[in-house]
């Protein structure tokens, strides 16, 4: 069975990843794509109040399970659009360890901080300042196959750019380069 392709969108909260993913599902026409969003996994968690330590442990397990779910879906031959926030170094390392790097098109989704703040306030479903806090964290690894800026392009324009780029993925991919750098023993 052939592994599925993974379009991996990484950016801060409110950067436009989910909007781009929805547009990709509308315009991608060379396979059946599924949108896997980390927020969707978070939404499945119990709603009872959790203490800080319990919440941290649950979130870490959720992220690790999310990464393995991506790998399992792709291994079964499914094409995926992944929507994630790699705001902690271990998240990228875990993804590098469990995903086939040659299957991943790694896309950096950027947006200016003032626009992130405006979107976050308009949404009203995120803690104020979350996106600004994540801003310098999510892209610090510094290597992507493709980057988009939702401050200057619409989600549809970003999706079209990704669609046009997909058949021309570089070799080695950003995930391959990052894996060699961070996990040379794999």
């Amino acid at each position: 069975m052939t592994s599925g392709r993974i379009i991996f969108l990484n950016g801060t909260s409110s950067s436009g990843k989910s909007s781009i993913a929805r547009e990709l599902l509308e315009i991608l026409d060379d396979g059946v794509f599924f949108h896997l969003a980390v927020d969707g996994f978070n939404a499945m968690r119990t709603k009872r109040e959790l203490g800080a330590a319990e919440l941290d442990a649950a979130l870490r397990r959720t992220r690790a399970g999310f990464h393995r779910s991506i790998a399992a879906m792709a291994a079964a031959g499914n094409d995926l659009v992944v929507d994630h926030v790699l705001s902690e170094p271990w998240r990228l390392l875990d993804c590098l360890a469990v995903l086939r790097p040659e299957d991943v098109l790694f896309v950096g989704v950027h947006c200016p901080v003032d626009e992130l703040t405006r979107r976050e306030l308009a949404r009203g479903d995120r803690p104020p300042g979350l996106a600004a806090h994540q801003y310098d964290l999510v892209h610090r690894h510094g290597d992507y196959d493709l980057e988009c800026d939702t401050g200057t392009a619409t989600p549809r324009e970003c999706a079209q750019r990704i669609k046009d780029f997909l058949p021309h993925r570089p070799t080695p991919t950003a995930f391959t380069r990052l894996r060699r750098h961070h996990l040379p023993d794999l």
Side-chain angles (χ1 to χ4, degrees):
M1 179 178 301
T2 303
S3 290
R5 296 168 291 174
I6 302 169
I7 299 171
F8 195 114
L9 306 173
N10 176 46
T12 65
S13 174
S14 303
S15 63
K17 300 177 307 296
S18 296
S19 297
I20 293 170
R22 282 189 295 275
E23 295 291 343
L24 281 166
L25 292 183
E26 289 290 321
I27 67 171
L28 290 169
D29 55 7
D30 67 334
V32 177
F33 280 82
F34 294 86
H35 177 200
L36 295 183
V38 73
D39 286 347
F41 273 62
N42 288 335
M44 290 187 265
R45 187 180 63 245
T46 184
K47 302 303 180 215
R48 74 175 172 82
E49 191 71 27
L50 301 174
E54 188 178 16
L55 179 60
D56 283 346
L59 289 175
R60 189 173 183 94
R61 288 191 313 271
T62 302
R63 302 301 188 267
F66 177 59
H67 303 159
R68 281 146 188 83
S69 296
I70 297 165
M73 285 288 286
N78 295 294
D79 291 327
L80 309 172
V81 178
V82 172
D83 167 351
H84 204 354
V85 181
L86 298 175
S87 58
E88 296 174 285
W90 78 266
R91 294 179 190 184
L92 174 61
L93 296 176
D94 196 46
C95 287
L96 293 173
V98 302
L99 302 178
R100 286 176 30 101
E102 59 274 12
D103 296 337
V104 178
L105 174 66
F106 197 27
V107 180
V109 180
H110 300 275
C111 186
V113 173
D114 58 337
E115 177 62 11
L116 289 170
T117 302
R118 186 197 67 73
R119 291 177 186 178
E120 188 175 76
L121 290 172
R123 287 175 69 155
D125 64 349
R126 300 286 190 267
L130 178 62
H133 170 74
Q134 295 171 342
Y135 190 78
D136 290 326
L137 303 175
V138 298
H139 303 296
R140 71 176 154 228
H141 54 78
D143 193 2
Y144 288 106
D145 297 308
L146 182 66
E147 298 182 68
C148 296
D149 185 339
T150 62
T152 59
T154 67
R156 176 65 80 146
E157 291 167 339
C158 292
Q160 187 63 52
R161 187 164 176 230
I162 293 165
K163 178 186 177 185
D164 294 345
F165 188 83
L166 189 59
H168 309 289
R169 289 179 290 172
T171 303
T173 65
F175 252 52
T176 300
R177 295 186 301 270
L178 287 163
R179 183 189 250 191
R180 285 179 189 156
H181 178 74
H182 293 287
L183 304 171
D185 295 333
L186 281 184

